[in-house]
Amino acid sequence: MAKLRVGIVGLGGVGAIHLEAYRASRTVEVVAAAEIDPARLQAAQARHDFKTYADYKEMLTGESIDLVVVATPVSTHEAVTIAAAKAGHHVLCEKPLA
């Protein structure tokens, strides 16, 4: 069985929770993450073996992803979710937009 390939947008509190849960899964592989905070991005690059992006739009077009997890601040949910859907990805958007 092929693993579900996941990209995470936002590696703050909620994104970090998703990241650790997916990394513990045998059926999911985190293949990419996007984060605008330079310190979080640098920490992810140092600790994980997936590709990282400072711009989520580059991740959406540059990776083979089955599911995009939107774990960004509430004010950005709509734009990120719509962009991911338009790029042809399934989307999990954290509340409250969801």
Coordinates of all heavy atoms in Angstrom, one line a residue:
M1 N 0.8 -1.2 0.0 CA 0.0 0.0 0.0 C 0.9 1.2 0.0 O 1.8 1.4 0.8 CB -0.9 0.0 1.3 CG -1.8 1.2 1.3 SD -3.0 1.0 2.6 CE -2.6 2.3 3.7
A2 N 0.6 2.2 -0.9 CA 1.4 3.4 -1.0 C 1.0 4.3 0.2 O -0.1 4.4 0.6 CB 1.1 4.1 -2.3
K3 N 2.0 5.1 0.6 CA 1.7 6.0 1.7 C 1.1 7.3 1.1 O 1.3 7.7 0.0 CB 3.0 6.4 2.4 CG 3.6 5.3 3.2 CD 4.8 5.8 4.0 CE 5.4 4.8 4.9 NZ 6.5 5.3 5.7
L4 N 0.2 7.9 1.9 CA -0.4 9.2 1.6 C 0.7 10.2 1.7 O 1.3 10.4 2.8 CB -1.5 9.4 2.6 CG -2.4 10.7 2.3 CD1 -3.2 10.6 1.0 CD2 -3.3 10.9 3.5
R5 N 0.9 11.0 0.7 CA 2.0 12.0 0.7 C 1.3 13.4 1.1 O 0.5 13.9 0.4 CB 2.6 12.1 -0.7 CG 3.3 10.8 -1.1 CD 3.7 10.8 -2.6 NE 4.5 12.0 -2.9 CZ 5.8 12.0 -2.8 NH1 6.5 11.0 -2.2 NH2 6.5 13.1 -3.1
V6 N 1.9 13.9 2.2 CA 1.3 15.1 2.8 C 2.3 16.3 2.8 O 3.5 16.1 3.0 CB 0.9 14.8 4.3 CG1 0.4 16.1 5.0 CG2 -0.2 13.7 4.4
G7 N 1.7 17.5 2.5 CA 2.4 18.7 2.6 C 1.7 19.6 3.7 O 0.5 19.7 3.7
I8 N 2.5 20.2 4.6 CA 1.9 21.0 5.7 C 2.3 22.4 5.4 O 3.4 22.7 5.2 CB 2.5 20.5 7.0 CG1 2.1 19.0 7.3 CG2 1.9 21.4 8.2 CD1 2.8 18.5 8.5
V9 N 1.3 23.3 5.5 CA 1.5 24.7 5.4 C 1.3 25.3 6.8 O 0.2 25.3 7.4 CB 0.5 25.4 4.4 CG1 0.8 26.9 4.3 CG2 0.5 24.7 3.1
G10 N 2.4 25.7 7.4 CA 2.4 26.3 8.7 C 2.9 25.3 9.7 O 2.4 24.2 9.9
L11 N 4.1 25.6 10.4 CA 4.7 24.7 11.3 C 4.7 25.2 12.7 O 5.5 24.8 13.6 CB 6.1 24.4 10.9 CG 6.3 23.6 9.6 CD1 7.8 23.5 9.2 CD2 5.7 22.2 9.7
G12 N 3.7 26.1 13.0 CA 3.5 26.6 14.4 C 2.9 25.5 15.2 O 3.0 24.3 14.9
G13 N 2.2 25.9 16.3 CA 1.6 24.9 17.2 C 0.8 23.8 16.6 O 1.1 22.6 16.8
V14 N -0.2 24.2 15.8 CA -1.1 23.1 15.2 C -0.3 22.4 14.1 O -0.4 21.1 14.0 CB -2.3 23.8 14.7 CG1 -3.2 22.8 13.9 CG2 -3.2 24.4 15.8
G15 N 0.5 23.0 13.3 CA 1.2 22.4 12.3 C 2.2 21.4 12.9 O 2.4 20.3 12.3
A16 N 2.8 21.7 14.0 CA 3.8 20.8 14.6 C 3.1 19.6 15.2 O 3.7 18.5 15.1 CB 4.5 21.6 15.8
I17 N 1.9 19.8 15.6 CA 1.1 18.6 16.1 C 0.8 17.7 15.0 O 1.0 16.4 15.1 CB -0.2 19.1 16.8 CG1 0.1 19.8 18.1 CG2 -1.2 17.9 17.0 CD1 -1.1 20.5 18.7
H18 N 0.4 18.2 13.8 CA 0.1 17.4 12.6 C 1.4 16.7 12.2 O 1.4 15.5 11.9 CB -0.4 18.2 11.5 CG -1.9 18.5 11.6 ND1 -2.8 17.7 11.1 CD2 -2.5 19.6 12.1 CE1 -4.0 18.2 11.4 NE2 -3.9 19.3 12.0
L19 N 2.5 17.4 12.2 CA 3.8 16.9 11.7 C 4.2 15.7 12.6 O 4.5 14.6 12.0 CB 4.9 17.9 11.8 CG 6.3 17.5 11.5 CD1 6.4 16.9 10.1 CD2 7.2 18.6 11.7
E20 N 4.1 15.8 13.9 CA 4.5 14.7 14.7 C 3.5 13.5 14.6 O 4.0 12.3 14.6 CB 4.6 15.1 16.2 CG 5.8 16.1 16.4 CD 7.1 15.6 15.8 OE1 7.5 14.4 16.0 OE2 7.8 16.4 15.1
A21 N 2.3 13.7 14.5 CA 1.3 12.7 14.3 C 1.5 11.9 13.0 O 1.5 10.7 13.0 CB -0.1 13.2 14.4
Y22 N 1.7 12.6 11.9 CA 2.0 12.0 10.6 C 3.3 11.2 10.6 O 3.4 10.2 10.0 CB 1.9 13.0 9.5 CG 0.5 13.6 9.3 CD1 0.4 14.9 9.0 CD2 -0.6 12.8 9.5 CE1 -0.9 15.5 8.8 CE2 -1.9 13.4 9.3 CZ -2.0 14.7 9.0 OH -3.3 15.3 8.8
R23 N 4.3 11.8 11.2 CA 5.6 11.1 11.2 C 5.6 9.8 12.0 O 6.3 8.9 11.7 CB 6.7 12.1 11.8 CG 7.0 13.2 10.8 CD 8.0 14.1 11.4 NE 9.2 13.5 11.9 CZ 10.3 13.2 11.2 NH1 10.3 13.4 9.9 NH2 11.4 12.6 11.8
A24 N 4.6 9.7 12.9 CA 4.5 8.4 13.7 C 3.6 7.4 12.9 O 3.6 6.2 13.3 CB 3.8 8.7 15.0
S25 N 3.0 7.8 11.8 CA 2.1 6.9 11.1 C 2.9 6.1 10.1 O 3.9 6.5 9.5 CB 1.1 7.8 10.3 OG 0.4 7.0 9.4
R26 N 2.4 4.9 9.9 CA 3.0 4.0 8.9 C 2.3 4.2 7.5 O 2.8 3.6 6.5 CB 2.9 2.5 9.3 CG 3.7 2.2 10.5 CD 3.6 0.8 10.9 NE 2.3 0.5 11.4 CZ 1.7 -0.7 11.5 NH1 2.4 -1.7 11.2 NH2 0.5 -0.8 12.0
T27 N 1.2 4.9 7.5 CA 0.5 5.1 6.2 C 0.6 6.5 5.6 O 0.0 6.7 4.6 CB -1.0 4.7 6.4 OG1 -1.5 5.6 7.4 CG2 -1.1 3.3 6.8
V28 N 1.3 7.4 6.3 CA 1.4 8.8 5.8 C 2.9 9.1 5.8 O 3.7 8.8 6.7 CB 0.7 9.7 6.8 CG1 0.9 11.2 6.4 CG2 -0.8 9.4 6.8
E29 N 3.3 9.9 4.8 CA 4.6 10.4 4.6 C 4.6 11.9 4.4 O 3.9 12.4 3.5 CB 5.3 9.8 3.5 CG 6.7 10.3 3.2 CD 7.4 9.7 2.0 OE1 6.7 9.1 1.2 OE2 8.6 9.9 1.8
V30 N 5.2 12.7 5.3 CA 5.3 14.1 5.1 C 6.4 14.4 4.1 O 7.5 14.0 4.4 CB 5.6 14.9 6.5 CG1 5.7 16.4 6.2 CG2 4.4 14.6 7.5
V31 N 6.0 14.9 3.0 CA 7.0 15.1 1.9 C 7.5 16.6 1.8 O 8.5 16.8 1.2 CB 6.5 14.6 0.6 CG1 6.3 13.1 0.6 CG2 5.2 15.3 0.1
A32 N 6.7 17.5 2.4 CA 7.1 18.9 2.3 C 6.3 19.7 3.3 O 5.3 19.3 3.8 CB 6.7 19.4 0.9
A33 N 6.9 20.9 3.6 CA 6.3 21.8 4.5 C 6.6 23.2 4.1 O 7.7 23.5 3.6 CB 6.7 21.6 6.0
A34 N 5.7 24.1 4.3 CA 5.9 25.5 4.0 C 5.7 26.3 5.3 O 4.8 26.1 6.1 CB 4.9 26.0 3.0
E35 N 6.6 27.3 5.5 CA 6.6 28.1 6.7 C 7.2 29.5 6.4 O 8.3 29.5 5.8 CB 7.4 27.4 7.9 CG 7.6 28.2 9.1 CD 6.3 28.7 9.8 OE1 5.4 27.8 10.1 OE2 6.1 29.9 10.0
I36 N 6.5 30.6 6.8 CA 7.1 31.9 6.6 C 8.0 32.4 7.7 O 8.8 33.3 7.4 CB 5.9 32.9 6.3 CG1 5.1 33.1 7.6 CG2 5.1 32.6 5.1 CD1 4.1 34.3 7.5
D37 N 8.0 31.8 8.8 CA 8.8 32.2 9.9 C 10.2 31.6 9.7 O 10.4 30.4 9.7 CB 8.3 31.8 11.3 CG 9.2 32.2 12.4 OD1 10.2 31.5 12.7 OD2 8.9 33.2 13.1
P38 N 11.2 32.4 9.5 CA 12.6 31.9 9.2 C 13.2 31.0 10.2 O 13.8 30.0 9.9 CB 13.4 33.2 9.0 CG 12.5 34.3 8.8 CD 11.2 33.9 9.5
A39 N 12.9 31.2 11.5 CA 13.4 30.4 12.5 C 12.8 29.0 12.5 O 13.5 28.0 12.6 CB 13.2 31.0 13.9
R40 N 11.5 29.0 12.3 CA 10.8 27.7 12.2 C 11.2 26.9 11.0 O 11.4 25.7 11.0 CB 9.3 27.9 12.2 CG 8.7 28.2 13.5 CD 7.1 28.1 13.4 NE 6.6 28.8 14.6 CZ 5.5 29.6 14.5 NH1 4.9 29.8 13.4 NH2 5.1 30.2 15.6
L41 N 11.4 27.6 9.9 CA 11.8 27.0 8.6 C 13.2 26.4 8.8 O 13.4 25.2 8.4 CB 11.7 28.0 7.5 CG 12.0 27.5 6.1 CD1 11.0 26.5 5.7 CD2 12.1 28.6 5.1
Q42 N 14.1 27.1 9.4 CA 15.4 26.6 9.6 C 15.4 25.4 10.5 O 16.1 24.5 10.3 CB 16.3 27.8 10.2 CG 17.8 27.4 10.2 CD 18.6 28.6 10.7 OE1 18.2 29.4 11.5 NE2 19.8 28.6 10.1
A43 N 14.6 25.5 11.6 CA 14.6 24.3 12.5 C 14.0 23.1 11.8 O 14.5 22.0 12.0 CB 13.7 24.7 13.7
A44 N 13.0 23.3 10.9 CA 12.5 22.1 10.2 C 13.5 21.6 9.2 O 13.6 20.3 9.1 CB 11.2 22.6 9.4
Q45 N 14.2 22.4 8.6 CA 15.3 22.0 7.6 C 16.3 21.2 8.3 O 16.9 20.2 7.8 CB 15.9 23.2 6.9 CG 15.0 23.9 5.9 CD 15.5 25.2 5.5 OE1 16.3 25.9 6.2 NE2 15.1 25.6 4.3
A46 N 16.7 21.6 9.6 CA 17.7 20.9 10.3 C 17.3 19.5 10.9 O 18.0 18.6 11.1 CB 18.2 21.8 11.5
R47 N 16.0 19.4 11.2 CA 15.5 18.2 11.9 C 14.8 17.2 11.1 O 14.6 16.1 11.5 CB 14.5 18.7 13.0 CG 15.2 19.4 14.2 CD 14.2 19.9 15.3 NE 13.2 18.9 15.5 CZ 11.9 19.3 15.8 NH1 11.5 20.5 15.8 NH2 11.0 18.3 16.1
H48 N 14.3 17.6 9.9 CA 13.5 16.6 9.1 C 14.0 16.4 7.7 O 14.8 17.2 7.2 CB 12.0 17.2 9.0 CG 11.4 17.4 10.4 ND1 11.1 16.4 11.2 CD2 11.1 18.6 11.0 CE1 10.6 16.9 12.3 NE2 10.6 18.2 12.3
D49 N 13.6 15.3 7.1 CA 14.1 14.9 5.8 C 13.2 15.3 4.7 O 13.3 14.7 3.6 CB 14.5 13.4 5.8 CG 13.3 12.6 6.2 OD1 12.2 13.1 6.5 OD2 13.4 11.3 6.1
F50 N 12.2 16.1 4.9 CA 11.3 16.5 3.8 C 11.8 17.9 3.3 O 12.5 18.6 3.9 CB 9.9 16.5 4.2 CG 9.6 17.3 5.5 CD1 9.6 18.7 5.5 CD2 9.3 16.6 6.7 CE1 9.3 19.4 6.7 CE2 9.1 17.3 7.8 CZ 9.0 18.7 7.8
K51 N 11.3 18.2 2.1 CA 11.6 19.5 1.5 C 10.8 20.6 2.2 O 9.7 20.5 2.6 CB 11.3 19.5 0.0 CG 11.8 20.7 -0.7 CD 12.1 20.4 -2.2 CE 12.7 21.7 -2.8 NZ 12.7 21.6 -4.2
T52 N 11.5 21.8 2.4 CA 10.8 22.9 3.0 C 10.8 24.1 2.1 O 11.6 24.3 1.2 CB 11.6 23.3 4.3 OG1 13.0 23.6 4.0 CG2 11.5 22.3 5.4
Y53 N 9.8 24.9 2.3 CA 9.5 26.1 1.4 C 9.2 27.3 2.3 O 8.5 27.2 3.3 CB 8.3 25.8 0.5 CG 8.5 24.7 -0.5 CD1 8.3 23.4 -0.2 CD2 9.0 25.0 -1.8 CE1 8.5 22.4 -1.1 CE2 9.1 24.0 -2.7 CZ 8.9 22.7 -2.4 OH 9.1 21.7 -3.3
A54 N 9.7 28.5 1.9 CA 9.3 29.7 2.5 C 8.0 30.2 1.9 O 7.3 31.0 2.6 CB 10.4 30.7 2.3
D55 N 7.6 29.7 0.8 CA 6.3 30.2 0.1 C 5.5 28.9 -0.2 O 5.9 28.0 -1.0 CB 6.7 30.9 -1.2 CG 5.5 31.4 -1.9 OD1 4.3 31.0 -1.6 OD2 5.7 32.3 -2.8
Y56 N 4.3 28.9 0.4 CA 3.5 27.7 0.2 C 3.1 27.5 -1.3 O 2.9 26.4 -1.7 CB 2.2 27.8 1.1 CG 1.2 28.8 0.6 CD1 0.2 28.4 -0.2 CD2 1.2 30.1 1.1 CE1 -0.8 29.3 -0.7 CE2 0.2 31.0 0.7 CZ -0.8 30.6 -0.2 OH -1.7 31.5 -0.6
K57 N 3.0 28.6 -2.0 CA 2.6 28.4 -3.4 C 3.6 27.6 -4.2 O 3.3 26.8 -5.1 CB 2.4 29.8 -4.1 CG 1.2 30.5 -3.5 CD 1.1 31.9 -4.1 CE -0.1 32.6 -3.4 NZ -0.1 34.0 -3.8
E58 N 4.9 27.7 -3.9 CA 5.9 26.9 -4.5 C 5.8 25.5 -4.1 O 6.0 24.6 -5.0 CB 7.3 27.4 -4.1 CG 7.7 28.8 -4.7 CD 9.0 29.3 -4.2 OE1 9.9 28.4 -3.9 OE2 9.3 30.5 -4.2
M59 N 5.4 25.2 -2.9 CA 5.2 23.8 -2.4 C 4.0 23.2 -3.2 O 4.1 22.1 -3.6 CB 4.9 23.8 -0.9 CG 4.8 22.4 -0.4 SD 4.2 22.3 1.3 CE 2.4 22.5 1.1
L60 N 3.0 24.0 -3.4 CA 1.8 23.4 -4.1 C 2.1 23.0 -5.5 O 1.5 22.0 -6.0 CB 0.7 24.5 -4.1 CG 0.1 24.8 -2.7 CD1 -1.0 25.9 -2.8 CD2 -0.4 23.6 -1.9
T61 N 3.0 23.7 -6.2 CA 3.3 23.4 -7.6 C 4.5 22.5 -7.7 O 4.7 21.9 -8.8 CB 3.4 24.7 -8.4 OG1 4.5 25.5 -7.9 CG2 2.1 25.5 -8.4
G62 N 5.4 22.5 -6.7 CA 6.6 21.8 -6.8 C 6.7 20.4 -6.3 O 7.8 19.8 -6.3
E63 N 5.7 19.9 -5.7 CA 5.7 18.6 -5.0 C 4.5 17.8 -5.5 O 3.5 18.3 -5.8 CB 5.6 18.8 -3.5 CG 6.8 19.5 -2.9 CD 8.0 18.6 -2.9 OE1 7.9 17.4 -2.9 OE2 9.1 19.2 -3.0
S64 N 4.7 16.5 -5.4 CA 3.7 15.5 -5.7 C 3.0 15.2 -4.3 O 3.6 14.5 -3.5 CB 4.2 14.2 -6.3 OG 3.2 13.2 -6.3
I65 N 1.9 15.8 -4.1 CA 1.3 15.8 -2.7 C -0.2 15.3 -2.9 O -0.9 15.7 -3.8 CB 1.2 17.2 -2.1 CG1 2.6 17.7 -1.9 CG2 0.4 17.2 -0.8 CD1 2.7 19.2 -1.5
D66 N -0.6 14.4 -2.0 CA -2.0 13.9 -2.0 C -2.9 14.8 -1.2 O -4.0 14.9 -1.5 CB -2.0 12.5 -1.5 CG -1.2 11.5 -2.3 OD1 -1.3 11.5 -3.5 OD2 -0.4 10.7 -1.7
L67 N -2.3 15.3 -0.1 CA -3.1 16.1 0.9 C -2.3 17.2 1.4 O -1.1 17.1 1.7 CB -3.5 15.2 2.1 CG -4.1 15.9 3.3 CD1 -5.5 16.3 2.9 CD2 -4.2 14.9 4.5
V68 N -2.9 18.4 1.4 CA -2.3 19.6 2.0 C -3.0 19.9 3.3 O -4.2 20.0 3.3 CB -2.4 20.8 1.0 CG1 -1.9 22.1 1.7 CG2 -1.7 20.6 -0.3
V69 N -2.2 20.0 4.4 CA -2.8 20.4 5.7 C -2.5 21.9 5.8 O -1.4 22.4 5.8 CB -2.1 19.6 6.8 CG1 -2.6 20.1 8.2 CG2 -2.3 18.1 6.6
V70 N -3.6 22.7 6.0 CA -3.5 24.1 6.3 C -3.6 24.3 7.8 O -4.6 24.2 8.4 CB -4.7 24.9 5.5 CG1 -4.5 26.3 5.8 CG2 -4.6 24.5 4.0
A71 N -2.4 24.7 8.3 CA -2.3 25.0 9.8 C -1.7 26.3 10.0 O -0.8 26.5 10.8 CB -1.4 23.9 10.4
T72 N -2.2 27.3 9.3 CA -1.7 28.7 9.3 C -2.7 29.5 10.2 O -3.7 29.0 10.6 CB -1.7 29.3 7.9 OG1 -3.0 29.2 7.4 CG2 -0.8 28.5 7.0
P73 N -2.3 30.8 10.5 CA -3.2 31.6 11.2 C -4.6 31.7 10.5 O -4.7 31.7 9.2 CB -2.5 33.0 11.2 CG -1.1 32.6 11.1 CD -1.0 31.4 10.2
V74 N -5.6 32.0 11.2 CA -7.0 32.0 10.7 C -7.2 32.9 9.6 O -7.8 32.6 8.6 CB -8.0 32.3 11.9 CG1 -9.4 32.5 11.3 CG2 -7.9 31.3 13.0
S75 N -6.5 34.1 9.6 CA -6.7 35.1 8.5 C -6.2 34.6 7.2 O -6.6 35.2 6.2 CB -6.0 36.4 8.9 OG -4.6 36.2 9.0
T76 N -5.4 33.5 7.1 CA -4.9 33.1 5.9 C -5.5 31.8 5.4 O -5.2 31.3 4.3 CB -3.3 32.8 6.0 OG1 -3.1 31.8 6.9 CG2 -2.6 34.1 6.4
H77 N -6.4 31.2 6.2 CA -7.0 29.9 5.8 C -7.7 29.9 4.4 O -7.4 29.0 3.6 CB -8.1 29.5 6.8 CG -7.6 29.0 8.1 ND1 -8.4 28.5 9.1 CD2 -6.3 28.8 8.6 CE1 -7.6 28.0 10.1 NE2 -6.4 28.3 9.8
E78 N -8.5 30.9 4.2 CA -9.2 31.0 2.9 C -8.2 30.9 1.7 O -8.4 30.1 0.8 CB -10.1 32.2 2.8 CG -10.9 32.3 1.5 CD -11.8 33.5 1.5 OE1 -11.6 34.4 2.3 OE2 -12.6 33.6 0.6
A79 N -7.3 31.8 1.7 CA -6.4 31.9 0.5 C -5.6 30.7 0.3 O -5.4 30.2 -0.8 CB -5.4 33.1 0.7
V80 N -5.0 30.1 1.4 CA -4.2 28.9 1.3 C -5.1 27.7 0.9 O -4.7 26.9 0.0 CB -3.5 28.6 2.6 CG1 -2.7 27.3 2.5 CG2 -2.5 29.7 3.0
T81 N -6.2 27.6 1.4 CA -7.1 26.5 1.1 C -7.6 26.5 -0.3 O -7.5 25.5 -1.0 CB -8.4 26.5 2.0 OG1 -7.9 26.3 3.4 CG2 -9.3 25.3 1.7
I82 N -8.0 27.7 -0.8 CA -8.4 27.8 -2.2 C -7.2 27.5 -3.1 O -7.4 26.8 -4.2 CB -9.0 29.2 -2.4 CG1 -10.4 29.3 -1.7 CG2 -9.2 29.5 -3.9 CD1 -11.0 30.6 -1.7
A83 N -6.0 28.0 -2.8 CA -4.9 27.8 -3.7 C -4.5 26.3 -3.8 O -4.2 25.8 -4.8 CB -3.7 28.6 -3.2
A84 N -4.6 25.6 -2.6 CA -4.3 24.2 -2.6 C -5.4 23.4 -3.4 O -5.0 22.5 -4.2 CB -4.3 23.7 -1.2
A85 N -6.6 23.8 -3.3 CA -7.7 23.1 -4.1 C -7.5 23.4 -5.6 O -7.6 22.5 -6.4 CB -9.0 23.6 -3.6
K86 N -7.2 24.6 -5.9 CA -7.0 24.9 -7.3 C -5.8 24.2 -7.9 O -5.8 24.0 -9.1 CB -6.9 26.5 -7.5 CG -8.2 27.2 -7.4 CD -8.0 28.7 -7.7 CE -9.4 29.3 -7.7 NZ -9.3 30.8 -8.1
A87 N -4.8 23.9 -7.1 CA -3.6 23.2 -7.5 C -3.9 21.7 -7.7 O -3.1 20.9 -8.0 CB -2.5 23.4 -6.6
G88 N -5.1 21.3 -7.3 CA -5.6 19.9 -7.5 C -5.3 19.0 -6.3 O -5.4 17.8 -6.4
H89 N -5.1 19.6 -5.1 CA -4.8 18.8 -3.9 C -6.0 18.6 -3.1 O -6.9 19.5 -3.0 CB -3.7 19.4 -3.1 CG -2.4 19.7 -3.8 ND1 -1.7 18.6 -4.3 CD2 -1.8 20.8 -4.2 CE1 -0.6 19.1 -4.9 NE2 -0.7 20.4 -4.9
H90 N -6.1 17.5 -2.4 CA -7.1 17.4 -1.3 C -6.6 18.3 -0.2 O -5.4 18.5 0.0 CB -7.2 16.0 -0.8 CG -7.8 15.0 -1.8 ND1 -9.1 14.9 -2.1 CD2 -7.1 14.2 -2.7 CE1 -9.3 14.0 -3.0 NE2 -8.1 13.6 -3.5
V91 N -7.5 18.8 0.6 CA -7.1 19.8 1.7 C -7.8 19.5 3.0 O -9.0 19.2 3.1 CB -7.6 21.2 1.3 CG1 -7.1 22.3 2.3 CG2 -7.0 21.6 -0.1
L92 N -7.0 19.5 4.1 CA -7.5 19.5 5.4 C -7.2 20.9 6.0 O -6.0 21.2 6.1 CB -6.8 18.4 6.2 CG -7.3 18.2 7.7 CD1 -7.1 16.8 8.1 CD2 -6.7 19.2 8.6
C93 N -8.2 21.6 6.3 CA -8.0 23.0 6.9 C -8.4 23.0 8.3 O -9.6 22.6 8.7 CB -8.8 24.0 6.1 SG -8.6 25.7 6.7
E94 N -7.5 23.4 9.2 CA -7.8 23.4 10.6 C -8.9 24.5 10.8 O -9.1 25.4 10.1 CB -6.6 23.8 11.4 CG -5.7 22.6 11.7 CD -6.4 21.7 12.7 OE1 -7.4 22.0 13.4 OE2 -5.9 20.5 12.8
K95 N -9.7 24.2 11.9 CA -10.8 25.2 12.3 C -10.2 26.5 12.5 O -9.0 26.7 12.7 CB -11.5 24.6 13.5 CG -10.7 24.5 14.7 CD -11.4 23.9 15.8 CE -10.4 23.9 17.0 NZ -10.7 23.0 18.0
P96 N -10.9 27.6 12.5 CA -12.4 27.7 12.4 C -12.9 27.7 10.9 O -14.1 27.5 10.8 CB -12.7 29.0 13.1 CG -11.6 29.8 12.9 CD -10.4 28.9 12.8
L97 N -12.1 27.9 9.9 CA -12.7 27.9 8.5 C -13.3 26.6 8.2 O -14.4 26.6 7.6 CB -11.6 28.3 7.5 CG -12.1 28.3 6.1 CD1 -13.0 29.5 5.9 CD2 -10.9 28.5 5.1
A98 N -12.7 25.5 8.7 CA -13.3 24.2 8.4 C -14.7 24.1 9.0 O -15.5 23.3 8.6 CB -12.4 23.1 8.8

